[in-house]
Each structure stands twice: as C-alpha cells, then as structure tokens.
Amino acid sequence: MTTRAERLKRLVRLQQQIKALHETKHATHLSHAAAARQEANEMLEALNAASPMPGLFPDLYNRRIGAAMEREARENDRAQQEASHVATATARTNIVERAYREAFRLEEREIAEKEQLETIERKLSDPK
C-alpha cells in the first residue's frame, strides 16, 4: 500500500507534465501567430512593391493577407487560452506540492514519534 506522500509525489510529477504540455502548446501558438504575421507582412510588401505579379492578382494577394491576419488573430487567441491553462496548472502544481510537503513532514513526524515511543517502552521494560 502506498502512502499519501508517495501518491502526492506522483501527482506532483503529473501536474508538472501537464504544465509543461500547456507551456509547449502556448509557445507553439505564439510561433504560429508570428509566422502568420510574417506571411502577411511579406505579402503586403510584395503588393506594395513594383512587382508585376501582385498587379496581375491583387484579389489573391488581398485574400492571402486577410487569411494570414485572421490566422494570426486565431493563434493569438489560442495562445491566450493556453496561457490561462498554464496559470491554472501552475496553481494546481503549487497546491499539490504544498500538500506533498505537508504529508511528507507528517509521515516523518509520525515515524519519529513511533521510534521515541519504542525507545521509551524498551527502557521501561528492561529490568535492571
């Protein structure tokens, strides 16, 4: 049978993994948003340049710029959601860590008290 501290220790590890997952997702969404922003800027620069291609297909360039900006906004929203998940996971991890430390100290205290009682009982039962 596992002790409460051992179970909490496993839960702490799990919470840290969940937190790391959300941090990774957050970074991924920010990266995708930056890539979309870069694409929109490149398309806008090409549209404003004296290049013949954007002049031939201005609607296509405008749609691609709009789609890239929408993708950036969507990825920023997702990144914001993941940031809130990271905050929640951090809070949960901290709570579980405190509970683990408390349970560990309690178990250590119980072991020490049990050892003291055994020592006292041995001294009392030893005939002199």
Side-chain angles (χ1 to χ4, degrees):
M1 187 166 129
T2 60
T3 65
R4 181 172 188 262
E6 291 170 349
R7 289 190 312 268
L8 286 170
K9 186 176 181 180
R10 285 198 316 251
L11 187 57
V12 166
R13 271 190 257 124
L14 177 64
Q15 286 294 332
Q16 288 171 341
Q17 290 173 345
I18 290 171
K19 179 182 169 189
L21 172 73
H22 287 300
E23 288 172 342
T24 302
K25 284 183 176 183
H26 179 253
T28 301
H29 289 305
L30 288 178
S31 173
H32 289 170
R37 178 52 137 178
Q38 180 67 26
E39 180 184 343
N41 286 338
E42 288 172 0
M43 296 295 284
L44 191 58
E45 287 175 12
L47 189 60
N48 291 335
S51 174
M53 286 299 280
L56 293 174
F57 306 104
D59 285 345
L60 178 64
Y61 275 78
N62 287 329
R63 277 186 277 150
R64 295 263 324 255
I65 290 169
M69 294 178 89
E70 287 174 13
R71 202 167 57 250
E72 177 192 14
R74 188 173 53 248
E75 291 297 332
N76 281 331
D77 288 343
R78 289 178 180 165
Q80 188 65 24
Q81 289 173 347
E82 285 302 326
S84 69
H85 291 302
V86 168
T88 302
T90 300
R92 286 181 179 156
T93 301
N94 291 340
I95 290 169
V96 173
E97 284 175 345
R98 278 193 303 271
Y100 165 69
R101 285 191 302 268
E102 183 180 325
F104 184 76
R105 282 192 300 266
L106 183 63
E107 286 178 9
E108 289 294 315
R109 189 178 314 129
E110 288 174 355
I111 290 170
E113 288 174 356
K114 187 176 179 182
E115 288 174 357
Q116 287 176 346
L117 284 174
E118 289 174 357
T119 303
I120 292 171
E121 287 177 355
R122 270 186 298 203
K123 285 183 181 180
L124 290 177
S125 65
D126 285 342
K128 289 191 179 180

